[in-house]
Amino acid sequence: MNTCKAALRILWSHKLYLFIYMFGLGTLMLVMGSSAITSADGQSGSTASFELVRPRIAVINTDGGKLGEGLSDYLAQTSHILPLSDDAQSLQDAVARNYVDLIVVIPSGYSQDFTSAAAAGERPPTVRTTMSYTSGSGSLAKINVDGYFSQVRTVLRSGQSQELSKAVDVVTKHIEDSPRNTSIDTVKTGDESGKSLANGFGLVMKLSIYPMFTAMTVCVSLLIGIFNTVETRRRLLAAPLKSVFLSVQQLLACLIIGLFCWLCYSVIALALVMPHNPGFSIVDAPSIGLPILTLLIFTLVSIAFGFMLGQFGISTSAANGVAVALGLVLMFTSGAAFDPSAMPDVMVAIGKLTPGWWFSISVDHALGISTASAEGSDVVGWLQSLGVMSAFGIAFLCIALAVGRHRSIHPISQVQKVTRLTEMG
């Protein structure tokens, strides 16, 4: 086990990479995902109340008739009627300072013109209105103004009342007797709460793609690259141990680091979700456990990818660049950062060629969210996606073994090409 201990010491001497990629980026991803869990409070049957906004309206009745007074009474049932002076300065100040949402000015003689138009079956004249430039409530309130005049005209035309004042009384009494509800209560059922919590937990697990992939790729490739240097390989080959045992011990050190990172991320993710899911009362234990198991398999796939890079003998800086670049590609094409339904077809096609896509799909099938929201939680779909993701890891491992075999068969390619002159005698 000396090789395994030496490998762990090498990784610990380069712990800065682990802290930056795993703990730094991992903390960032957990903070981003925790907001989704917190917003879904996980309490079934919770109630939220929304108060309807009452627009602020000023009615200036220059006509002085019953028609304008009735408009104020009609709008008072659903709006705030504010007093406003009938002068140009007051009107301009009210609009500029956003004091009102809508100003309605009924011109002098409007009642007579309105009655004449209704009797002749013509379209009634319009009143002058001014809406606030910062609120849409004025536009909605204007619909109520038009509705009031339309109802008064309908009463006059229907024969219920030939007098304008009585027609106004009919309309205003009707609106006063109509039931109104100024608040809306929404009740979140247990199923909705569970779906919201599952979405939040699924997002936390999906966002682990970036820190886990970059950390494992950099650390493992760094370790394998150090062991594959010419001087180190010569010392290892001179040891009285078979090369397979040395490789197993190196792989064991990589697995220890990978399991440690997976365990830390999983424990923190559970710590985030369990206060909102006491005793697995909303999202059951299997649905929580399957994404965690999926993350374990993805960690192994990331280790295999790092092992493959290490066998190619790339430098540490190159490994960092590859890990960061591919980590971003995986996160943005896997459906972790964006919903797959909102992604371009090109991104979806690229994502399906990476293990990150199948990692996200596996989490979706485990929790019944996102791409699997229609059919719900599906163990068969989870296993299929998990199998495809595992195939990537097997492919990476096979390529790494093939490259390692080639290096051992052709050791001449590993000899330093620079001839060093030594001084004799």
Side-chain angles (χ1 to χ4, degrees):
M1 297 297 290
N2 290 331
T3 303
C4 180
K5 294 178 181 179
L8 291 176
R9 284 196 297 268
I10 292 173
L11 290 174
W12 180 249
S13 64
H14 296 83
K15 55 184 175 294
L16 182 61
Y17 292 115
L18 192 64
F19 288 149
I20 292 176
Y21 290 119
M22 188 63 225
F23 295 101
L25 294 178
T27 301
L28 178 61
M29 298 297 110
L30 286 168
V31 170
M32 293 172 58
S34 64
S35 60
I37 294 178
T38 305
S39 61
D41 55 8
Q43 298 177 359
S44 60
S46 60
T47 304
S49 179
F50 300 91
E51 294 292 333
L52 297 179
V53 177
R54 295 169 65 92
R56 301 159 299 173
I57 302 177
V59 179
I60 301 177
N61 187 11
T62 307
D63 181 59
K66 181 70 173 178
L67 188 61
E69 296 176 359
L71 177 62
S72 298
D73 296 337
Y74 182 89
L75 296 178
Q77 306 301 318
T78 57
S79 310
H80 294 295
I81 305 300
L82 303 179
L84 189 63
S85 301
D86 184 16
D87 59 86
Q89 186 64 39
S90 299
L91 296 178
Q92 292 175 7
D93 290 344
V95 174
R97 297 176 181 178
N98 197 27
Y99 179 65
V100 295
D101 296 312
L102 177 67
I103 300 175
V104 182
V105 180
I106 301 177
S108 179
Y110 183 80
S111 297
Q112 182 63 38
D113 296 339
F114 183 87
T115 304
S116 301
E122 299 176 354
R123 186 182 183 87
T126 58
V127 295
R128 184 161 57 92
T129 59
T130 303
M131 290 174 288
S132 171
Y133 61 92
T134 61
S135 174
S137 301
S139 301
L140 298 177
K142 188 177 183 300
I143 297 176
N144 290 336
V145 173
D146 296 337
Y148 165 76
F149 290 116
S150 177
Q151 291 181 49
V152 173
R153 179 177 179 272
T154 301
V155 172
L156 290 175
R157 294 283 298 169
S158 65
Q160 288 182 311
S161 176
Q162 299 297 327
E163 297 182 9
L164 180 61
S165 60
K166 293 184 178 180
V168 170
D169 291 337
V170 171
V171 174
T172 54
K173 188 176 187 309
H174 175 73
I175 191 64
E176 290 174 357
D177 295 340
S178 300
R180 295 178 305 280
N181 187 12
T182 59
S183 65
I184 301 175
D185 293 336
T186 60
V187 179
K188 184 184 291 185
T189 64
D191 292 340
E192 292 171 341
S193 297
K195 184 65 69 176
S196 300
L197 188 61
N199 280 316
F201 180 70
L203 178 62
V204 170
M205 300 307 295
K206 289 180 183 179
L207 290 177
S208 66
I209 284 181
Y210 191 34
M212 192 65 70
F213 180 81
T214 53
M216 293 300 99
T217 298
V218 172
C219 292
V220 174
S221 62
L222 171 67
L223 175 65
I224 301 302
I226 291 175
F227 274 96
N228 281 338
T229 57
V230 176
E231 293 80 2
T232 305
R233 284 188 63 85
R234 285 173 177 173
R235 291 187 178 94
L236 292 176
L237 292 175
L241 289 175
K242 292 184 178 179
S243 59
V244 64
F245 292 111
L246 299 175
S247 300
V248 168
Q249 293 187 49
Q250 296 172 26
L251 184 60
L252 180 60
C254 298
L255 291 177
I256 291 175
I257 295 298
L259 290 176
F260 174 75
C261 295
W262 165 77
L263 184 61
C264 290
Y265 194 95
S266 300
V267 169
I268 297 175
L270 286 175
L272 291 175
V273 73
M274 289 313 296
H276 308 280
N277 186 37
F280 301 99
S281 57
I282 299 176
V283 183
D284 55 18
S287 297
I288 294 290
L290 292 182
I292 294 178
L293 182 58
T294 303
L295 179 59
L296 175 60
I297 303 301
F298 181 77
T299 303
L300 299 179
V301 173
S302 302
I303 291 175
F305 183 79
F307 181 67
M308 180 184 70
L309 286 185
Q311 292 294 343
F312 278 101
I314 66 175
S315 63
T316 303
S317 58
N320 276 273
V322 171
V324 172
L326 289 183
L328 289 174
V329 171
L330 291 181
M331 187 172 70
F332 288 109
T333 61
S334 64
F338 305 105
D339 189 271
S341 61
M343 292 168 54
D345 294 338
V346 176
M347 290 183 64
V348 174
I350 296 174
K352 290 181 179 180
L353 300 177
T354 65
W357 172 271
W358 301 104
F359 169 73
S360 295
I361 295 297
S362 181
V363 173
D364 290 344
H365 282 295
L367 296 171
I369 59 174
S370 190
T371 57
S373 58
E375 59 269 19
S377 180
D378 182 15
V379 178
V380 176
W382 173 76
L383 286 173
Q384 292 174 348
S385 303
L386 200 67
V388 176
M389 182 178 65
S390 302
F392 280 93
I394 295 174
F396 296 150
L397 189 60
C398 291
I399 295 174
L401 293 175
V403 173
R405 179 65 176 171
H406 180 270
R407 291 165 63 95
S408 62
I409 294 177
H410 302 85
I412 187 65
S413 62
Q414 306 301 318
V415 177
Q416 296 181 4
K417 297 180 173 59
V418 178
T419 303
R420 298 182 179 179
L421 299 178
T422 51
E423 196 172 294
M424 303 295 296

